[in-house]
Amino acid sequence: MSDDTLNARRPRVFVARRIFPEVVAQLREHFDVSTHDTDEPLSRDELIARLQGCDGVFVAGTEPIDATLLAACPTLRAVCSMAVGYNNIDVPAATARGVVVSNAPGVLTETTADFGFALMMATARRITEAEQYLRAGHWKQWSVDGMAGADIHGSTLGILGMGRIGQAIARRGVHGFGMSLVYHNRSRLPAEDEAALGARYLDLPGLLKAADHLVIVVPYGPTSHHLIGAAELALMKPSATLINVARGGVVDDAALAQALAERRIAGAGLDVFEGEPAVHPGLLEVPNVVLTPHIASASLPTRLAMCQLAASNLRAALTGQAPPTALNPEVLPLR
Ligand code: DGY
């Protein structure tokens, strides 16, 4: 063994969230690992303090990694997230400092699509509302239009954001439920992909007017902040539903709560919220919304796969290889 190898210190990694113990154990095979082993997020100051002297950090979609934090943690060389959405990380600021950033795309696509579809069905068929009605003891007799909702089969599915997850939801709708498909995206799908799904590309107002069930799957950022507000909701059919499995902030929750209360749309299914885990009080008051706590990717095998992908990215980044899903590979090789 060379003197260099003997003298080399193991890279230091901080895991900023409670994750699966087996993934921490895998990281310990390669790194000196310290952990914040609870679900309670660290404050910015605590996170900065814990990152001193660290080479890499394992985060979820929740820890804000911005220019100020990066400047305060000069030894950091890799920020690896187990989430696919990375609006919590200032990637250009990291790139400017030579810090590699990775997210976790792909491994959660089908699980998130399953959930988006489930939320759409629960919303259209009023499943949680009906359960609450039953539990509250209101079910006394059969009624011809009792808890009647909208059909999924044969209806028009609108997808806003036709990336991996949007396409996976579209496949379920078209091939499983005979839905017609309209979509809007920054760029159009290749003609053969549109043909395979029978997909019709529309501008945003056209999509809002055409969809019976609108599923939002766009990433969050300055250009998608309040992409759906009062004016956009006003374009939707009164019978339509809106499903958000993207990020809070894409929809103006106050405007949505008002539209739901006034029955300007029929219902909504929301897994993500502006300022979560807080939920706009107006959404908690209306019956025609299904609310879930940001769990679209939460099947156990998928959450484990997301953690393992983030750990693989850290291993690669800190051992001189290209992380499989780096967002800024241009900073490689690391300093
Ligand atoms: C993601 O991976 O972006 C999910 O929303 C979980 O944060």
Side-chain angles (χ1 to χ4, degrees):
M1 199 179 286
S2 74
D3 284 354
D4 277 359
T5 314
L6 282 172
N7 292 336
R9 76 165 173 80
R10 277 155 59 96
R12 293 190 186 125
V13 160
F14 180 58
V15 180
R17 282 260 150 189
R18 184 176 69 82
I19 61 168
F20 298 100
E22 58 265 49
V23 180
V24 176
Q26 286 161 13
L27 288 169
R28 288 212 156 101
E29 289 169 17
H30 306 270
F31 307 122
D32 284 346
V33 179
S34 53
T35 60
H36 172 63
D37 208 15
T38 79
D39 295 331
E40 190 66 35
L42 287 169
S43 70
R44 161 194 289 274
D45 287 350
E46 288 167 330
L47 183 56
I48 290 173
R50 298 294 304 268
L51 286 175
Q52 295 310 300
C54 285
D55 303 278
V57 62
F58 182 121
V59 295
T62 39
E63 287 68 40
I65 307 288
D66 56 20
T68 313
L69 180 139
L70 290 164
C73 304
T75 57
L76 208 55
R77 293 182 293 143
V79 174
C80 297
S81 174
M82 63 171 283
V84 65
Y86 53 90
N87 52 294
N88 57 319
I89 306 173
D90 186 337
V91 181
T95 305
R97 300 192 71 88
V99 175
V100 71
V101 178
S102 64
N103 67 338
V107 287
L108 78 182
T109 300
E110 299 300 330
T111 297
T112 304
D114 283 351
F115 189 87
F117 212 85
L119 198 51
M120 178 173 71
M121 296 200 71
T123 304
R125 296 302 305 271
R126 305 171 63 183
I127 287 179
T128 57
E129 192 184 348
E131 186 186 359
Q132 282 158 14
Y133 171 87
L134 179 154
R135 284 180 187 272
H138 297 316
W139 186 25
K140 304 288 187 213
Q141 69 281 307
W142 185 87
S143 153
V144 68
D145 58 357
M147 288 292 154
D151 275 325
I152 294 290
H153 72 273
S155 67
T156 298
L157 171 61
I159 304 268
L160 178 54
M162 201 56 135
R164 291 185 188 84
I165 297 170
Q167 289 178 51
I169 293 171
R171 284 195 298 276
R172 283 157 175 75
V174 170
H175 300 314
F177 289 78
M179 298 175 89
S180 314
L181 178 64
V182 290
Y183 78 101
H184 180 71
N185 196 44
R186 263 176 315 193
S187 48
R188 273 184 82 153
L189 293 178
E192 60 272 24
D193 293 352
E194 281 193 353
L197 288 167
R200 199 153 54 92
Y201 182 84
L202 296 173
D203 62 12
L204 182 55
L207 176 76
L208 295 166
K209 287 179 198 160
D212 292 316
H213 304 290
L214 174 73
V215 184
I216 302 171
V217 213
V218 284
Y220 179 69
T223 55
S224 61
H225 178 73
H226 285 188
L227 188 58
I228 303 298
E232 290 72 28
L233 291 164
L235 295 177
M236 294 178 68
K237 299 177 187 178
S239 55
T241 69
L242 174 152
I243 311 302
N244 188 3
V245 287
R247 275 287 182 274
V250 174
V251 176
D252 176 344
D253 284 350
L256 177 60
Q258 198 173 345
L260 289 167
E262 294 169 6
R263 302 271 170 180
R264 281 191 273 111
I265 64 169
L270 307 174
D271 187 48
V272 289
F273 304 88
E274 287 188 274
E276 63 186 49
V279 176
H280 189 284
L283 292 171
L284 296 171
E285 280 162 20
V286 288
N288 47 342
V289 60
V290 180
L291 306 168
T292 53
H294 202 148
I295 54 167
S297 64
S299 73
L300 274 175
T302 290
R303 283 285 166 89
L304 182 60
M306 292 160 73
C307 286
Q308 279 168 334
L309 179 52
S312 304
N313 278 310
L314 262 176
R315 267 201 308 280
L318 298 178
T319 57
Q321 293 147 45
T325 56
L327 289 161
N328 56 352
E330 65 271 27
V331 304
L332 300 168
L334 295 181
R335 59 192 149 88

